[in-house]
Amino acid sequence: EMVMTQSPATLSVSPGERATLSCRASQSVSSNLAWYQQKPGQAPRLLIYGASTRAIGIPARFSGSGSGTEFTLTISSLQSEDFAVYYCQQYNNWPPIFTFGPGTKVDIK
Amino acid sequence: EVQLVESGGGLIQSGGSLRLSCAASGLTVSNNYMAWVRQAPGKGLEWVSSLYSTGSTHYADSVKGRFIISRDNTKNTLYLQMNSLRGEDTAVYYCARSGTGYDYWGQGTLVTVSS
């Protein structure tokens, strides 16, 4: 069974600072990893797919890296609109059980 | 512009059934890999079920044997038939389109299962 873990559970950051979020898969997912942002009362929004490719309309301050089992989402300079919960998701499995991580909440320090 | 609009949620008693709908515009459901994802109150995202363009279906273990994903090509609509509902099925249910990652999402519909 594929298990996704994320750390930290909560990250307190000041506006303008850099935020680094981690995601780990229990087995290799190659580069089949996506990152989502979710704000209260809203549906998730795709930020990154293929571990490092920004989705359409996503600002350049969001970047993804990693492959295999270790992945990172970096927000280079946090803006007020970036305070949210971030989820990683693997889409490598067959059968396709595309597991989400438990999320990292980024809040204002 | 792609839009996914869910409907059909509501309050239902434990053991009951409910059918969720996801009406699509701007994309053809039958040509895409579509999925249902749920989120219990205050919790994270949980993949529920997927339907490929080929017709292949897949389910999370937590709903296997109780939920059925399907589509109506003439209505360009995705469905989730939910049977034998339990308290732990209480959640906002989202439909989503999978390109690489889930790139389009609906606004969600709330299902509340009462005991």
Side-chain angles (χ1 to χ4, degrees):
Chain A
E1 179 192 351
M2 175 72 73
V3 177
M4 306 297 291
T5 56
Q6 290 185 243
S7 61
T10 303
L11 184 62
S12 296
V13 185
S14 299
E17 287 188 340
R18 182 186 192 92
T20 303
L21 289 66
S22 295
C23 173
R24 175 176 291 179
S26 60
Q27 54 191 274
S28 177
V29 299
S30 185
S31 295
N32 297 311
L33 192 285
W35 289 93
Y36 301 85
Q37 177 194 67
Q38 188 180 34
K39 298 179 181 178
Q42 296 185 15
R45 178 174 72 146
L46 177 66
L47 298 175
I48 300 284
Y49 63 90
S52 61
T53 302
R54 278 189 300 277
I56 295 170
I58 301 303
R61 63 180 182 273
F62 291 92
S63 63
S65 64
S67 65
T69 62
E70 302 279 345
F71 301 89
T72 300
L73 175 70
T74 301
I75 312 171
S76 59
S77 176
L78 268 155
Q79 306 298 303
S80 57
E81 62 267 30
D82 300 336
F83 293 98
V85 180
Y86 293 82
Y87 296 94
C88 63
Q89 181 201 30
Q90 66 82 19
Y91 51 95
N92 187 66
N93 279 50
W94 188 266
I97 299 173
F98 296 156
T99 321
F100 290 92
T104 291
K105 182 179 181 180
V106 177
D107 64 16
I108 301 174
K109 189 173 182 179
Chain B
E1 181 193 6
V2 173
Q3 278 199 312
L4 300 173
V5 179
E6 300 97 335
S7 60
L11 178 63
I12 186 78
Q13 283 198 322
S14 180
S17 297
L18 212 54
R19 189 178 79 159
L20 306 183
S21 300
C22 172
S25 58
L27 66 80
T28 302
V29 168
S30 61
N31 291 344
N32 283 275
Y33 163 37
M34 302 296 296
W36 289 97
V37 175
R38 69 184 180 183
Q39 187 169 38
K43 303 297 184 183
L45 302 171
E46 179 189 15
W47 171 80
V48 173
S49 181
S50 297
L51 174 60
Y52 280 92
S53 57
T54 58
S56 174
T57 59
H58 304 275
Y59 299 94
D61 285 345
S62 57
V63 306
K64 200 173 292 184
R66 300 188 299 124
F67 289 13
I68 300 171
I69 190 171
S70 65
R71 66 191 178 214
D72 184 328
N73 297 344
T74 63
K75 296 182 178 179
N76 205 29
T77 298
L78 180 74
Y79 299 103
L80 187 67
Q81 177 68 42
M82 305 187 295
N83 302 320
S84 303
L85 282 161
R86 308 166 179 166
E88 55 264 36
D89 297 319
T90 293
V92 174
Y93 285 74
Y94 297 100
C95 68
R97 193 282 292 257
S98 179
T100 38
Y102 291 171
D103 51 2
Y104 295 106
W105 295 69
Q107 84 290 348
T109 187
L110 175 63
V111 174
T112 304
V113 183
S114 68
S115 52

